Amino acid sequence: MYANGITLIFESTNVRKNMSIKQIAKIAGVSTATVSRVLNGSDKVKNETIEQVQKVAKKLNYQRNNVARRMKVKATESLIFGLVVSDINNPFFADIARGVEEFAYAKEHVIFICNTNESTEKEIFFLNSMISEKVSGVIIAPTAGNYQLFDKLVSDRLPLVLIDRLKNSFPFDTVSINNEKGAFLAVQRLIQNGHKRIGIINGIKGLSNSEARFRGYKNALGEAGLPLIKELITYGHFREAGGREAMKKLLDLKKPPTAVFSANNLMTLGCIKEIHEQNLSIPDQIALIGFDDSTWAEALTPPLTTVKQPGYELGVNAAELLYKRLKNKDSNIMNVVLNPELIIRDSCGTNRKSS
Amino acid sequence: MYANGITLIFESTNVRKNMSIKQIAKIAGVSTATVSRVLNGSDKVKNETIEQVQKVAKKLNYQRNNVARRMKVKATESLIFGLVVSDINNPFFADIARGVEEFAYAKEHVIFICNTNESTEKEIFFLNSMISEKVSGVIIAPTAGNYQLFDKLVSDRLPLVLIDRLKNSFPFDTVSINNEKGAFLAVQRLIQNGHKRIGIINGIKGLSNSEARFRGYKNALGEAGLPLIKELITYGHFREAGGREAMKKLLDLKKPPTAVFSANNLMTLGCIKEIHEQNLSIPDQIALIGFDDSTWAEALTPPLTTVKQPGYELGVNAAELLYKRLKNKDSNIMNVVLNPELIIRDSCGTNRKSS
DNA sequence: TTTTATGAAGAAAACGATTACATTTTAAAA
DNA sequence: TTTTAAAATGTAATCGTTTTCTTCATAAAA
């Protein structure tokens, strides 16, 4: 009797091992089909039965096995979104993740986050894993290149939303920032503040966002009749160390720029460290505007002028787009473009009123 | 004929819909059991057969359906880790996530990241989802309280590794930082630099890390024979706004502190902004040491002295612990404690040599 | 009262893998 | 050559749901 008692307690709590719709059916005296109907709120079950089943389920602390569920249900109803970002340490992507998650949570979806660190190899592994896990769809900031993979994804009909970085030739929904405009605004501001030799530290060649930011830089110079000077165009691969190196290269020039536009927050940090190392003052000796606002931008001395990207909103929008796509497979492809905002602080020079 | 052609193309590319072990078996002229054996590299299959099956699998671009696999396989072999963090926007947790992911990737595991934003409600939802998805185990930085839930997890035998925040009464593996020591070092340093009125901005009451940091603060004061002054003890809930408010409260005191120890990076940022707002100079008018090093700490003026937590290592260790636990269910509980490091920069005063 | 909808519930077939057990083939030993 | 062991493969049950048919019961219509 004592032993029995113990066994009972053990079994009843060990939810992870057993506990299926079958147990509930047996105890409630109905079929598994009915239990399933009750639990999924489908029609045509007598109120009395509903109550009875729910009571048993609650008492047994039943929890649906989603793995089994996904075997039957269409992938579009798996209640899982995948999110593939390229650098989770970048606050911009952390914001995006928060946005996606917020939306997903509201819809009782769960998300799979993977971080490629710009590695195409990882990207392939993660996407394959997601397919293999039958996620409903994926939101992804793709690495550079990798076009065969995306070809395959198209033919596999995996619902996909591209974020931040676009791949024009593919029929995917997208949410991106108007990078060209953001860069334009930044460089235009530097020009307004009297700068004529303006350097750029760009991200990764071949990524749409880098290219758009470069166009914005070029256009702003062009509009002001300033020449595009080759030695002032550098790349920092979206990494802090890269930004620092690029800044060093620019400062080491015979005729260094008087202002620099840095194409993301990590590189900007590298810039600042190099500038401090060389004991130069911002903005007098070197003016600076960075892409991506960050919580710390305001705390710097001087506070950093930045192009603020709405990361959180981007995430929410992407999740919403994916959600809609799943509801309606054949609706038109949507390309959402969000506007960046120039947050003017002190790092770009003194002419703050003229805007 | 034309129509047939189109249909064929459509079907053959739609990998997402069909493509099972059965197709391979049929084409290769073997049973599904044999295919499974080949694909899982189990013994006792003729070389010839292996080659044949592999060839077919490759040609069909077969990809295992992990959902089906998880129905049969023990949860401990599901190749999925769950990771629940409390604030993905905090670089500390982003570092942890990177660490976990790196380890998991090396083992061909995939991770589910969820972000509770300190919400216990979300924590419950996410953990239930993970159980429902049959993850192998979960690495979690728990929110405050929520003890019933963890009771349930223990009896459900969900392999769990607690990180950053401990719950002493539960038999879980843990990886944490020696928070007490970190805080002690920071406050000790402030004392060495001549400070006698030292404020603390602590995190969330009831979390083990906050409490340990408080103990460190208290002990450092005690060791130096300094009194614990109630009005200098504030809380900022680990958020930037909270930190700023707390700092304001401290500065508004009749007799404000000459130095402040802030218990995480976001709150420190809030502090700095408030200090700037009030046009006070660091460290002369108010000295500051923050918990958590960040990439931007060095770029501030003056550079910020911080207690550096090895977030990445913490993540790697947690993943490794979980991995080992799955291999050996009954091995002894492990409690890994990592050491923080005081990174001395300029924000804590001038007495830099005496360490 | 009989017929006919319609509402409730059950039986059983999937979903796609893994695996215990059974069977066949092959090689070694007698 | 027969016996025996081991290797290779196949058969079929199983994991826990969902869902399509059926079937049964009840109420409305004839």
Side-chain angles (χ1 to χ4, degrees):
Chain A
M1 202 175 202
Y2 187 65
N4 262 338
I6 284 181
T7 307
L8 183 66
I9 289 167
F10 184 83
E11 281 185 355
S12 78
T13 53
N14 197 339
V15 178
R16 198 164 195 243
K17 263 226 146 62
N18 296 312
M19 181 60 52
S20 74
I21 226 178
K22 255 187 199 165
Q23 331 269 313
I24 296 179
K26 194 192 276 179
I27 295 175
V30 297
S31 72
T32 59
T34 299
V35 175
S36 176
R37 281 191 273 256
V38 171
L39 265 27
N40 291 302
S42 64
D43 48 350
K44 307 210 174 168
V45 186
K46 217 196 296 177
N47 279 344
E48 214 178 313
T49 316
I50 293 181
E51 274 173 41
Q52 163 72 350
V53 169
Q54 281 177 339
K55 207 178 72 189
V56 175
K58 191 160 201 174
K59 193 164 124 200
L60 294 192
N61 213 337
Y62 170 76
Q63 184 157 357
R64 180 171 67 193
N65 179 333
N66 269 337
V67 177
R69 176 171 181 274
R70 281 220 294 294
M71 289 223 37
K72 288 297 296 180
V73 131
K74 285 184 291 254
T76 59
E77 287 163 28
S78 67
L79 305 179
I80 303 187
F81 288 166
L83 172 63
V84 183
V85 299
S86 56
D87 183 1
I88 192 67
N89 277 86
N90 185 333
F92 173 57
F93 285 112
D95 279 340
I96 290 176
R98 205 164 38 85
V100 171
E101 182 144 304
E102 207 95 326
F103 183 93
Y105 181 69
K107 303 289 185 190
E108 302 205 314
H109 279 53
V110 121
I111 68 174
F112 244 125
I113 308 182
C114 296
N115 179 33
T116 62
N117 250 331
E118 307 288 3
S119 148
T120 296
E121 185 199 354
K122 280 193 175 183
E123 180 170 78
I124 293 172
F125 172 73
F126 290 141
L127 280 167
N128 281 334
S129 295
M130 286 179 172
I131 290 173
S132 167
E133 293 295 340
K134 302 292 173 200
V135 301
S136 292
V138 173
I139 297 167
I140 182 172
T143 64
N146 215 358
Y147 285 85
Q148 315 89 334
L149 172 62
F150 285 86
D151 258 337
K152 177 177 177 302
L153 296 176
V154 172
S155 60
D156 283 3
R157 316 204 154 237
L158 176 73
L160 204 70
V161 175
L162 292 181
I163 52 173
D164 188 42
R165 300 139 177 218
L166 312 181
K167 292 193 173 305
N168 287 323
S169 47
F170 294 100
F172 295 130
D173 292 312
T174 63
V175 187
S176 59
I177 305 287
N178 191 333
N179 288 294
E180 186 171 331
K181 181 174 167 191
F184 182 89
L185 290 174
V187 177
Q188 187 186 46
R189 159 65 43 165
L190 290 170
I191 294 170
Q192 282 169 3
N193 285 3
H195 293 281
K196 293 192 154 56
R197 268 185 87 77
I198 301 173
I200 179 174
I201 300 178
N202 207 348
I204 294 176
K205 271 183 209 184
L207 288 182
S208 69
N209 54 0
S210 296
E211 279 165 16
R213 287 170 203 177
F214 182 73
R215 280 199 304 278
Y217 166 78
K218 195 169 114 185
N219 291 348
L221 293 181
E223 204 195 63
L226 293 172
L228 196 65
I229 301 170
K230 214 167 193 178
E231 62 180 10
L232 298 183
I233 301 167
T234 61
Y235 286 84
H237 312 288
F238 285 145
R239 294 288 167 77
E240 183 180 329
R244 185 161 189 169
E245 266 171 51
M247 183 51 112
K248 189 165 161 34
K249 210 189 280 177
L250 287 173
L251 293 175
D252 285 351
L253 288 174
K254 255 188 203 146
K255 215 179 150 193
T258 63
V260 167
F261 165 62
S262 157
N264 94 335
N265 50 6
L266 301 182
M267 296 191 301
T268 307
L269 215 42
C271 291
I272 293 172
K273 290 184 184 174
E274 184 60 29
I275 292 171
H276 284 178
E277 167 107 6
Q278 302 205 15
N279 265 312
L280 300 174
S281 87
I282 303 174
D284 301 332
Q285 296 176 285
I286 183 86
L288 186 62
I289 296 187
F291 215 93
D292 283 346
D293 196 37
S294 302
T295 46
W296 42 264
E298 192 188 334
L300 295 172
T301 317
L304 182 69
T305 296
T306 60
V307 179
K308 179 176 184 168
Q309 303 193 73
Y312 176 82
E313 288 78 8
L314 190 155
V316 172
N317 272 280
E320 195 178 348
L321 231 52
L322 181 54
Y323 190 76
K324 283 184 180 161
R325 169 70 45 211
L326 295 171
K327 297 284 166 215
N328 187 349
K329 217 178 155 71
D330 299 314
S331 60
N332 278 337
I333 301 278
M334 293 269 290
N335 299 109
V336 176
V337 179
L338 301 176
N339 270 304
E341 184 189 355
L342 186 65
I343 309 279
I344 298 175
R345 301 198 185 93
D346 300 334
S347 72
C348 60
T350 46
N351 196 24
R352 289 181 68 173
K353 292 156 221 161
S354 80
S355 111
Chain B
M1 204 177 199
Y2 186 64
N4 262 337
I6 284 181
T7 307
L8 183 66
I9 288 168
F10 184 85
E11 284 185 353
S12 76
T13 53
N14 197 338
V15 178
R16 201 166 190 240
K17 261 221 148 60
N18 297 312
M19 180 60 51
S20 75
I21 225 178
K22 253 188 203 165
Q23 332 267 314
I24 297 179
K26 194 193 278 179
I27 296 175
V30 297
S31 72
T32 59
T34 299
V35 175
S36 175
R37 281 192 273 256
V38 170
L39 263 26
N40 291 300
S42 64
D43 49 351
K44 306 209 176 169
V45 187
K46 218 199 293 178
N47 280 344
E48 217 177 311
T49 316
I50 294 181
E51 273 172 41
Q52 163 71 348
V53 170
Q54 281 176 341
K55 208 178 72 190
V56 175
K58 191 162 202 172
K59 193 163 124 200
L60 294 193
N61 211 337
Y62 170 77
Q63 185 157 359
R64 181 172 67 192
N65 179 333
N66 268 337
V67 177
R69 175 171 182 275
R70 281 220 294 293
M71 289 222 41
K72 287 296 294 177
V73 134
K74 286 185 291 256
T76 58
E77 286 164 28
S78 68
L79 306 180
I80 303 188
F81 289 165
L83 173 62
V84 183
V85 298
S86 55
D87 183 1
I88 192 68
N89 276 86
N90 185 333
F92 173 57
F93 286 112
D95 279 340
I96 289 177
R98 204 163 41 84
V100 173
E101 182 145 304
E102 206 95 325
F103 184 92
Y105 180 71
K107 302 290 184 191
E108 302 206 315
H109 280 52
V110 123
I111 68 174
F112 245 125
I113 307 183
C114 297
N115 179 33
T116 60
N117 250 331
E118 306 289 3
S119 148
T120 296
E121 184 198 354
K122 280 193 176 184
E123 181 170 78
I124 293 173
F125 172 74
F126 290 141
L127 278 168
N128 281 335
S129 296
M130 286 181 173
I131 290 174
S132 168
E133 293 295 341
K134 303 292 172 201
V135 300
S136 292
V138 173
I139 296 167
I140 182 171
T143 64
N146 214 358
Y147 285 86
Q148 313 90 335
L149 173 62
F150 284 87
D151 258 338
K152 178 177 175 300
L153 296 176
V154 172
S155 60
D156 283 3
R157 315 202 159 240
L158 177 71
L160 204 71
V161 176
L162 293 181
I163 52 173
D164 188 40
R165 300 143 176 213
L166 311 181
K167 290 193 175 304
N168 287 323
S169 48
F170 294 100
F172 295 129
D173 292 311
T174 63
V175 188
S176 59
I177 304 289
N178 191 333
N179 288 294
E180 186 171 329
K181 181 175 167 190
F184 183 88
L185 290 175
V187 177
Q188 187 185 46
R189 160 63 45 162
L190 290 170
I191 294 169
Q192 283 170 1
N193 285 3
H195 294 281
K196 294 193 155 53
R197 269 184 86 78
I198 301 172
I200 179 174
I201 300 178
N202 207 348
I204 294 176
K205 270 182 208 182
L207 287 182
S208 69
N209 54 359
S210 296
E211 279 165 16
R213 286 170 203 176
F214 182 73
R215 280 198 304 278
Y217 166 77
K218 194 169 114 184
N219 291 347
L221 293 181
E223 205 194 63
L226 293 172
L228 197 65
I229 302 170
K230 216 169 193 176
E231 61 180 11
L232 298 183
I233 301 167
T234 62
Y235 286 84
H237 312 288
F238 284 145
R239 294 286 166 76
E240 183 180 330
R244 185 162 188 168
E245 267 172 50
M247 183 51 114
K248 188 164 161 35
K249 209 189 282 176
L250 288 174
L251 293 175
D252 284 352
L253 288 174
K254 255 188 202 147
K255 215 179 151 191
T258 63
V260 167
F261 166 62
S262 158
N264 93 334
N265 51 6
L266 301 182
M267 297 191 302
T268 306
L269 215 43
C271 290
I272 292 173
K273 289 184 185 173
E274 184 61 29
I275 292 170
H276 284 178
E277 167 108 5
Q278 302 205 14
N279 265 312
L280 300 173
S281 86
I282 304 173
D284 300 333
Q285 295 176 285
I286 183 86
L288 186 61
I289 296 187
F291 216 93
D292 284 345
D293 196 38
S294 302
T295 46
W296 44 263
E298 192 188 335
L300 296 172
T301 317
L304 183 69
T305 295
T306 60
V307 180
K308 179 175 185 171
Q309 302 193 71
Y312 175 83
E313 286 78 7
L314 191 156
V316 172
N317 272 279
E320 194 178 345
L321 232 50
L322 181 54
Y323 190 78
K324 283 184 181 162
R325 169 70 47 209
L326 296 171
K327 297 285 165 211
N328 186 351
K329 217 178 156 71
D330 301 313
S331 60
N332 278 337
I333 301 278
M334 293 270 289
N335 299 109
V336 176
V337 179
L338 302 177
N339 269 304
E341 185 189 354
L342 186 65
I343 309 279
I344 299 175
R345 299 198 185 92
D346 299 337
S347 72
C348 60
T350 45
N351 195 24
R352 291 181 66 175
K353 293 156 218 159
S354 81
S355 105

